[in-house]
Amino acid sequence: MKKLLSLILALLMIFACTSVAFAAEEKYPVIYIPGYGSDLYAEKGNIKSELIYPTGADVGAIVKEAIAPCLKELALAIATGDYDKYCDELYNAVHPIYEDLVLAPDGMPKDNSGRGDNPNSVHLNYSRFSHGETFFAYDWRLSPEYCAEQLVDRIDIVLKKTGAKKVSIVARCFAGNILSAYLQNHSDHAKAKVNDAVLFIPSTEGINLIGALFAGKIDIVAENLDTYAESFLKYEEIIEDTAVRDLVVVLVSILEQAKALNLGTDALQKLVDNIKDNLIPRLVRRTYGSFPSFWSMVPTEYLEDAIAFVYNTPELQEEYKGTIDKARSYNSNVMLNARNCIKDLSDDIDISVISKYNLPLMPIIPDCDKNSDGTAETIYTSFGATVSDFGKTLPADYIASMPEANKKYLSADEQIDASTCVLPDETWFIKNSYHDHFPASIDKLIEAILTTDIDVFSNELYPQFLDAAVTAETIVPVEKSETEVTPDDDETNKTEKEK
């Protein structure tokens, strides 16, 4: 009998240990949602049909070449004060490049174009994440709320085909808008089927550059323009896949033309003021402004001005009602509720955020002095950090007034107070890394977030603030700046955490 009891006890112990082992080995396949700019085909679901995006050509080079002949018209416009013909020449040179991509006025494809992938196919790739990664392929022109409905189906398909109980989701840039729309509009589904989610430089709360361009609020900052243009032209390959880059190329090229005529900054601003009302609404409607995805990246403070500027007649507002409604729906349902939604769901889903900082914005928009990753403002991508302006530190009196318990959230370079983030213990910051820079070192950070019980204080390899050079493949803890940085005395920094 003792031998039998011993055998039963041994079997029970083996079973218990095996159960613990299985629990520890629970794996959640990763659904990676890339940012906008992936392949689009003339026939949805058919990769053998014509590839309509990317075109296979350098869009920036095409734009610059296309507007080169307009220099004569620019000189004539400056001489006569009549800019209509110059605007027509620019419009006719640029908009045909995007003709195959433009959506119908309701914000949906005017033909059968779209992604070429089979949405029911699930192939796990283990090169990036140890639990296996599969893509969520979507048409990046469409509304995030529409794409979020497709994400529901994708999650169900992945779970069915892998046998996993839940998934992990990693969403980059515009994909953050989709993930945020999913969490907001399908919260019960998310709580039941998502174990953890990483929002990597999300544009959920918008990008001021897009908002300002769509609203026609272009304000040239003289002292920064040449420096930025030089930096942009030098590093443009880093943001080659960014659709924002295409819009910026047009503006940089126009400004380079104007400089060829020896125009000063005041004259450049006058040029922009003379052409923006005629040119920008037309170009936006016939390029990226036809995409609800881009309207979802217009920050709240710009949205209504942008709608009035782009759709500048009652007839246009009626014609494009579908696109306008999608823009307003995302803003009211998702953007304005994002922080509360993330906070509320963090008890059921392990949600983490990765933001970037310490790079300049293009000096042609209001508030171009905000800290950013070169494209998106850090306050937005971090969901509420208190951030110094670019090249400055937080005011000394602000730092002195911080509660002692919150000073652990202050970056060593004194540019960021992360205590005001919606998820301060689960929000990481990467310094000196451009928006599109996604090296293997960041993969490793995300892998650690997904596979270990980690927060910003629990792993010495991945503290809250990490530093990367523009092209470096490593990230290291941020250290106190060795060079002198100007304190930021702007009172707005004290109220940004209330945003």
Side-chain angles (χ1 to χ4, degrees):
M1 177 62 97
K2 286 184 178 180
K3 290 184 178 180
L4 178 60
L5 290 174
S6 297
L7 177 61
I8 292 173
L9 182 59
L11 290 172
L12 288 172
M13 291 177 67
I14 291 172
F15 178 76
C17 292
T18 304
S19 299
V20 171
F22 278 133
E25 289 296 319
E26 184 74 51
K27 293 186 176 182
Y28 304 108
V30 178
I31 297 179
Y32 175 63
I33 315 177
Y36 54 80
S38 52
D39 294 354
L40 296 175
Y41 293 84
E43 296 178 21
K44 183 170 60 177
N46 182 7
I47 60 174
K48 294 183 178 179
S49 64
E50 179 187 0
L51 183 67
I52 62 172
Y53 190 91
T55 61
D58 184 338
V59 173
I62 292 173
V63 169
K64 286 185 278 190
E65 182 180 354
I67 71 171
C70 303
L71 182 59
K72 179 180 177 181
E73 293 299 335
L74 173 59
L76 186 62
I78 293 171
T80 63
D82 183 356
Y83 289 84
D84 288 349
K85 189 171 182 180
Y86 175 62
C87 290
D88 290 342
E89 291 283 345
L90 281 175
Y91 175 74
N92 292 331
V94 174
H95 88 83
I97 298 170
Y98 304 91
E99 195 58 38
D100 290 338
L101 287 173
V102 173
L103 297 180
D106 65 353
M108 296 297 291
K110 60 181 185 293
D111 47 28
N112 192 38
S113 62
R115 290 286 301 179
D117 314 67
N118 177 359
N120 296 315
S121 175
V122 176
H123 172 71
L124 292 182
N125 184 331
Y126 291 87
S127 62
R128 176 178 283 178
F129 304 121
S130 62
H131 287 185
E133 167 197 27
T134 186
F135 279 78
F136 170 53
Y138 64 96
D139 187 333
W140 50 269
R141 300 171 295 177
L142 305 181
S143 162
E145 291 183 283
Y146 180 87
C147 295
E149 295 175 2
Q150 297 178 316
L151 179 57
V152 170
D153 296 335
R154 182 61 177 169
I155 292 170
D156 290 340
I157 290 169
V158 170
L159 292 177
K160 180 178 180 181
K161 296 208 170 185
T162 63
K165 295 179 181 178
K166 291 186 175 183
V167 299
S168 299
I169 300 177
V170 176
R172 177 183 178 185
C173 186
F174 168 68
N177 301 38
I178 297 173
L179 178 54
S180 297
Y182 166 71
L183 295 175
Q184 175 67 35
N185 296 342
H186 307 279
S187 57
D188 289 340
H189 186 274
K191 286 187 282 188
K193 301 187 178 184
V194 177
N195 185 69
D196 38 24
V198 178
L199 290 144
F200 177 41
I201 50 169
S203 58
T204 300
E205 295 190 342
I207 295 174
N208 277 340
L209 177 60
I210 295 176
L213 290 176
F214 277 29
K217 296 184 183 297
I218 300 173
D219 184 13
I220 297 173
V221 181
E223 59 269 26
N224 298 337
L225 182 60
D226 286 342
T227 301
Y228 185 90
E230 180 181 350
S231 174
F232 173 79
L233 294 172
K234 179 179 179 181
Y235 292 114
E236 64 180 55
E237 70 277 2
I238 296 176
I239 49 176
E240 185 173 9
D241 295 330
T242 307
V244 173
R245 174 182 175 273
D246 298 341
L247 298 173
V248 173
V249 163
V250 176
L251 286 170
V252 169
S253 300
I254 291 172
L255 294 174
E256 287 296 310
Q257 277 194 344
K259 286 172 64 179
L261 297 175
N262 296 316
L263 297 183
T265 303
D266 291 342
L268 288 177
Q269 183 65 56
K270 184 177 180 180
L271 166 64
V272 170
D273 291 342
N274 276 306
I275 69 174
K276 67 180 183 181
D277 290 347
N278 184 324
L279 179 64
I280 292 180
R282 286 193 287 168
L283 273 182
V284 169
R285 289 196 299 270
R286 299 303 300 170
T287 57
Y288 294 103
S290 75
F291 308 156
S293 59
F294 268 67
W295 280 101
S296 78
M297 290 184 278
V298 175
T300 299
E301 56 266 36
Y302 283 109
L303 181 61
E304 291 305 320
D305 286 343
I307 289 172
F309 182 68
V310 173
Y311 309 110
N312 47 23
T313 68
E315 292 77 16
L316 284 171
Q317 292 194 13
E318 179 60 32
E319 180 183 358
Y320 287 88
K321 184 177 184 300
T323 297
I324 294 171
D325 287 347
K326 290 177 174 64
R328 286 175 171 153
S329 176
Y330 175 85
N331 182 267
S332 60
N333 291 338
V334 182
M335 185 179 289
L336 291 176
N337 294 315
R339 297 187 189 184
N340 287 336
C341 174
I342 290 170
K343 182 67 173 177
D344 291 344
L345 287 178
S346 64
D347 291 335
D348 300 285
I349 303 170
D350 291 332
I351 301 176
S352 302
V353 179
I354 302 175
S355 179
K356 295 183 177 182
Y357 75 107
N358 202 47
L359 289 169
L361 291 167
M362 188 174 186
I364 62 167
I365 62 171
D367 295 329
C368 64
D369 56 352
K370 299 304 179 188
N371 217 322
S372 78
D373 58 17
T375 297
E377 289 76 11
T378 305
I379 185 175
Y380 292 151
T381 58
S382 64
F383 295 104
T386 300
V387 189
S388 69
D389 286 344
F390 174 71
K392 297 184 178 181
T393 61
L394 292 169
D397 57 348
Y398 175 90
I399 295 174
S401 68
M402 289 178 64
E404 198 61 36
N406 287 356
K407 288 188 177 179
K408 63 182 179 180
Y409 298 104
L410 180 66
S411 60
D413 56 19
E414 299 185 343
Q415 293 189 46
I416 296 177
D417 171 13
S419 71
T420 58
C421 295
V422 68
L423 296 176
D425 290 344
E426 292 81 26
T427 301
W428 281 262
F429 296 83
I430 301 176
K431 183 178 182 179
N432 299 326
S433 177
Y434 274 95
H435 186 76
D436 285 351
H437 193 217
F438 196 175
S441 56
I442 296 179
D443 283 342
K444 292 176 182 177
L445 167 61
I446 295 175
E447 168 79 357
I449 292 171
L450 296 179
T451 58
T452 64
D453 187 15
I454 183 178
D455 64 23
V456 298
F457 302 112
S458 64
N459 188 321
E460 62 181 12
L461 292 177
Y462 300 114
Q464 185 150 47
F465 301 99
L466 295 155
D467 196 355
V470 172
T471 57
E473 294 302 312
T474 59
I475 48 178
V476 297
V478 168
E479 297 180 355
K480 186 174 179 62
S481 300
E482 294 182 2
T483 56
E484 184 176 351
V485 182
T486 305
D488 189 348
D489 296 324
D490 189 344
E491 292 295 317
T492 58
N493 284 293
K494 298 181 183 180
T495 60
E496 277 187 335
K497 64 181 178 181
E498 305 297 332
K499 179 177 171 61

